[in-house]
Amino acid sequence: MCSSDLGLTLGGWWWTSTLRRGKEYRNLASETEISFTSKDWAKALHGATQALEVRDDARMEEISRTSRNRIALGKQLVSYQEMIAAARWSFYVKHLNLREKLAPLRESLGLLAGIMNDPANEGVAEGWEVLGIGWYFLGESWKAEEALLKAVRLQPDRGKALFYLGKVHLERARGRMTTISDSIVEISSSADARRFTVMIERTPGTKS
C-alpha cells in the first residue's frame, strides 16, 4: 500500500472514530440530562463525570456541581429527620424539661434554615418540608408555616408538608380556644401545645 493510500485509510478511520465518539457523547449527555431532570442525582453525577472526562462542557459542569450539592444536602436532611424523630419522643415523657431537651434541635434547625436560604438550596422542597416539621415540633407555628408553604409551592403534592401545614392551622385554632369537659382552656402555641397534640395523636383512629 502506497503512502497516499495509507494516509487516506488512516484519515477515514480517524473521521469515522470522531463521528462515533461524537454520537456516543451526545447520547451520554442526553441520558445525563434525563437523569438530572428526574432528580436521580447519583446517576446524573456519574454521567456528568464521564462526559467531562471526554471534553469540557459547561452544562455538564453545572449538572455535576448541582448533583453533588443535592446528594450532600440529602444526607444532611436524613440526619435532621432522625434528630426530629428522636426529639418527638420527648413529648411522651412526663415532667421533662422540654426547653432544655429541645435546645439542641432548635440550634440545629437554625443552621438548617441558613442552609435552605442559600440560593443553591432554596429550590429544594424536601429541605423546607423537614425544616417546617422541625419548627412545628418546637411550637414555632409561624416559622413552620412559612417553611411548609415554601415546600408546597415548590412541590404541591408533598404529602407530609400538606399534612403538617394542616396541623399548624388546626392547632392555631385550638390554641385560641379548646373545649375540654365543658371548660374552656387555653393551650399555648409552644411546647405544651405539642404535648397536647401528641395526646390527640395517641387516640385510636387518629392519624400520626
Side-chain angles (χ1 to χ4, degrees), residues 87-106 137-138 190-196:
R88 184 176 180 179
W89 288 101
S90 301
F91 298 104
Y92 292 90
V93 182
K94 293 182 178 180
H95 311 302
L96 182 69
N97 186 329
L98 285 174
R99 181 182 295 275
E100 180 180 329
K101 182 68 175 179
L102 298 177
L105 176 59
R106 183 179 296 278
F137 281 112
L138 287 180
S190 56
D192 290 335
R194 300 292 81 69
R195 201 187 290 275
F196 176 84

Side-chain angles (χ1 to χ4, degrees), residues 73-203:
L73 179 59
K75 292 178 180 178
Q76 288 180 299
L77 292 179
V78 169
S79 297
Y80 281 107
Q81 287 172 323
E82 291 173 348
M83 189 181 301
I84 292 169
R88 184 176 180 179
W89 288 101
S90 301
F91 298 104
Y92 292 90
V93 182
K94 293 182 178 180
H95 311 302
L96 182 69
N97 186 329
L98 285 174
R99 181 182 295 275
E100 180 180 329
K101 182 68 175 179
L102 298 177
L105 176 59
R106 183 179 296 278
E107 182 178 353
S108 295
L109 290 180
L111 295 175
L112 179 57
I115 292 172
M116 292 310 303
N117 281 311
D118 186 318
N121 302 319
E122 60 186 3
V124 183
E126 183 185 4
W128 292 113
E129 179 181 82
V130 172
L131 180 61
I133 293 173
W135 286 133
Y136 164 79
F137 281 112
L138 287 180
E140 299 282 0
S141 67
W142 296 107
K143 289 182 179 180
E145 181 181 37
E146 181 182 11
L148 293 169
L149 281 173
K150 287 182 179 180
V152 172
R153 289 190 186 111
L154 288 167
Q155 191 176 336
D157 62 347
R158 289 206 70 87
K160 279 190 176 181
L162 290 168
F163 176 65
Y164 280 96
L165 191 58
K167 289 168 76 70
V168 165
H169 293 160
L170 178 60
E171 286 191 11
R172 195 169 291 161
R174 284 177 179 165
R176 297 190 187 99
M177 189 178 294
T178 302
T179 303
I180 298 180
S181 300
D182 298 324
S183 299
I184 297 177
V185 297
E186 291 294 328
I187 305 296
S188 75
S189 60
S190 56
D192 290 335
R194 300 292 81 69
R195 201 187 290 275
F196 176 84
T197 302
V198 168
M199 292 169 56
I200 296 298
E201 291 176 347
R202 295 181 68 179
T203 303

